[in-house]
Amino acid sequence: AGDELIGNTFRLITHPDDLTRDLERRQRMLDGELDRCRVEKRLLHKDGYWVWVELNAVVVRDALGAPLYFIAQFQDITERRRAEAALRESEARYERIAANVPGIVYQFVYLPDGSQHFTFVSEGARTLCGVAPEAILRDPSALFGLIHPEDRAGMHSSGQAAVTELRPWRWEGRLVLSTGEQRWVQAASRNARQPDGSVLADGLIMDITAPRTLEEQLRQSQKMEAVGQLAGGVAHDFNNILTAIAGFAEFLQDEFAPGDPRREDVGEILKGAHRAASLTAQLLAFSRKQVLRSEVLDLNQVVAQMTTMLRPLLGSSLHLVTLPAPRAVPVLADRTQLEQVIMNLAVNARDAMQGGGTLTIEIGISPAESGAPQRATLVVSDTGVGMSPEVVARVFEPFFTTKPPGQGSGLGLATVDGIVQQSGGTISVESRPGEGTSFTITLPVAPSQRPRPTTGELAVIRDVKEGEGSQPAGTVLIAEDEEAVRAIAQRLLVRAGYRVLTARHGADALRVLSEADATVDVLLSDVVMPEMGGVELAARAVEMIPGLPVVLMSGYTDKDLGPINEEGMVAGFISKPFTSETLLGTVKAAVRSGYIAS
């Protein structure tokens, strides 16, 4: 009650934290600096707790201006202060959440007069797109101007449609930052009409560059796998066709005497077949379906032996630098394929340095990490024109090339990638326009000595030419589903003095083996055949005839052509299209030696 305050001073009921300020203000009013004041302060309730009040006070003076007394009005504002404190805490909590969300939290308003602007933008704008929130609040184009030109129309049209229909909005597109970096973002908002007719959009912009990149990599991987399957299948069929073309062309060529123009014409057919065979070899390398003749190689020696061939290839305007490792770098690889990798990278580097430059080939061994094997490294770098990020992203795609029409098939780097992957390695590229290009290849370090072939390895016979003297007698069973290839192989072997049995597929070959009236000395089988393929046929055949030498042939393979029984009776492998020398030499070696280790 009011009478309970009589006899008390404001000093006794004012909160200690507010007292100093009150005394200063009171003195200023007494000195005439202030006639009145309005202040919020805490007063002590009679029950012992503090309440917030709003104080409005004036000073009354006499005729001479001397202060006589104060007149004050108090209003309890405790509940209002509590509500304001709760609101401030809520706003602070909202700002903390908005600041910690990985993206941009925003509020955007569409006004009835057609104008629009941001009313809130979180600090995430600074992280995501490098623009201060204040700049976006002042001018929305600070954010909208970063949208990729190809994506702007779609963003605006979809956003406007969502506002008109008052439905949730979602959009994905690209931002191009001031640094030139490109980021994929996803924006989403909910739209609600306000009493004044405006539409308020509360939304979030998220950086989806990483998942988008992974998604693109997955699609690219699936596309490459599909193209690889197609390329392997085409190469298989095409190699059978080339085998027939080359084989019958050889027969025809033998019919003409040296100097006969017709012999030269047939020679051109053979040259075309060989060029086509090299193209299918590239397809097989890209699709990782070629058969590698692996051996332990020292990378230092391989590069050193290639320098005499690379120097004239590069020309006088280019400088070749080789940086070998301080010790041997053994890898298990196919020498021919590894040389092709280095050659392709060197040719690309030459083409990128038309005005001169330096090609550097560096060999090394990466330090062994905990639990991980050592990796050999082969780095091929040039000082050429470099590549843009868009080109780098597609550089290993088959048939992708930046060269003019007729100057590149687009299979070079796809072939390199396929060879490296099939050899158990990896390849990466770093390049920037005007700063050159660097390809880094890693391969598993191999033991210094290659073990005897075991499960999973194929003992491969090198091309063996016939020696002098007559061909040793023997019986060969040919299992081949392509009639033309079967006819060529049969004709070559019969002409060389062999007795030949033929079968159209694996099941047919087993029937011939069971009915044969003479010992079969060699099984010559295609790998890919209907009903029963060559690998299964070989396993069944050596069960019927223990020790039977088997020679496999194929235009490609995606199978493991390891030893087909415990004794490892694989005598050789012939790649299609084959020459007469390759076929006869391999069969001859198989007849003589049975199992032959490479």
Side-chain angles (χ1 to χ4, degrees), residues 549-587:
V550 177
V551 175
L552 297 174
M553 58 182 176
S554 182
Y556 89 111
T557 181
D558 57 358
K559 298 181 181 295
D560 176 11
L561 300 182
I564 56 178
N565 65 356
E566 293 182 358
E567 291 76 26
M569 302 304 294
V570 174
F573 180 86
I574 299 173
S575 294
K576 296 178 182 177
F578 51 76
T579 64
S580 57
E581 290 87 354
T582 299
L583 175 67
L584 297 176
T586 304
V587 170

Side-chain angles (χ1 to χ4, degrees), residues 151-469:
D151 299 337
R152 288 177 188 170
M155 189 279 293
H156 286 298
S157 61
S158 64
Q160 192 59 53
V163 170
T164 302
E165 300 170 16
L166 291 180
R167 57 176 171 78
W169 174 66
R170 184 180 297 273
W171 169 82
E172 289 185 6
R174 294 161 291 178
L175 298 182
V176 181
L177 309 190
S178 60
T179 59
E181 179 186 357
Q182 182 173 289
R183 289 184 180 175
W184 276 94
V185 296
Q186 182 184 84
S189 70
R190 288 188 175 275
N191 303 301
R193 191 172 300 281
Q194 305 304 300
D196 64 356
S198 63
V199 175
L200 207 58
D202 296 318
L204 175 66
I205 302 174
M206 297 285 291
D207 184 351
I208 61 168
T209 304
R212 185 82 183 212
T213 300
L214 289 175
E215 181 181 333
E216 182 60 30
Q217 289 174 344
L218 175 60
R219 281 199 299 266
Q220 181 71 5
S221 175
Q222 291 171 334
K223 182 175 74 173
M224 291 300 98
E225 182 65 24
V227 174
Q229 293 288 347
L230 176 62
V234 169
H236 168 259
D237 293 338
F238 197 48
N239 275 333
N240 279 328
I241 296 171
L242 288 176
T243 300
I245 293 173
F248 286 112
E250 281 192 45
F251 294 148
L252 184 60
Q253 190 177 47
D254 290 342
E255 299 296 323
F256 302 122
D260 189 323
R262 291 172 296 179
R263 183 181 179 88
E264 295 179 4
D265 292 342
V266 175
E268 291 301 318
I269 295 175
L270 284 170
K271 288 181 183 178
H274 294 154
R275 286 196 297 270
S278 67
L279 178 60
T280 58
Q282 285 185 293
L283 288 172
L284 290 172
F286 151 67
S287 60
R288 302 186 294 280
K289 295 179 185 292
Q290 62 186 339
V291 175
L292 299 181
R293 294 169 171 81
S294 299
E295 58 183 314
V296 175
L297 303 170
D298 178 7
L299 270 182
N300 283 340
Q301 291 183 359
V302 172
V303 173
Q305 291 166 1
M306 290 192 68
T307 54
T308 54
M309 179 170 51
L310 290 176
R311 292 188 191 280
L313 173 73
L314 296 176
S316 59
S317 64
L318 300 182
H319 183 48
L320 174 63
V321 176
T322 58
L323 302 174
R327 61 182 179 86
V329 182
V331 295
L332 186 62
D334 183 310
R335 177 183 292 274
T336 301
Q337 298 299 327
L338 184 57
E339 290 175 348
Q340 182 180 349
V341 166
I342 298 172
M343 182 67 69
N344 278 350
L345 294 179
V347 169
N348 279 356
R350 179 200 64 189
D351 294 344
M353 297 186 290
Q354 295 294 329
T358 301
L359 172 65
T360 303
I361 304 177
E362 183 176 3
I363 304 103
I365 297 182
S366 62
E369 299 180 1
S370 177
Q374 283 187 308
R375 306 283 289 185
T377 59
L378 177 67
V379 182
V380 181
S381 306
D382 65 61
T383 57
V385 295
M387 296 180 287
S388 67
E390 292 77 17
V391 173
V392 169
R394 302 185 60 190
V395 74
F396 295 115
E397 284 187 22
F399 310 113
F400 173 76
T401 179
T402 58
K403 296 178 181 179
Q407 295 188 22
S409 66
L411 278 174
L413 289 177
T415 299
V416 167
D417 183 40
I419 293 172
V420 171
Q421 289 194 44
Q422 194 175 2
S423 302
T426 64
I427 183 170
S428 60
V429 58
E430 293 183 5
S431 183
R432 291 183 180 179
E435 298 182 16
T437 301
S438 178
F439 287 90
T440 300
I441 296 170
T442 70
L443 295 169
V445 171
S448 56
Q449 297 296 325
R450 186 180 183 188
R452 177 183 174 85
T454 57
T455 301
E457 292 187 20
L458 174 66
V460 179
I461 302 298
R462 302 297 179 189
D463 289 357
V464 180
K465 294 188 180 293
E466 293 183 272
E468 296 180 358

Side-chain angles (χ1 to χ4, degrees), residues 581-598:
E581 290 87 354
T582 299
L583 175 67
L584 297 176
T586 304
V587 170
K588 179 179 178 180
V591 170
R592 285 181 173 178
S593 306
Y595 173 80
I596 301 178
S598 47

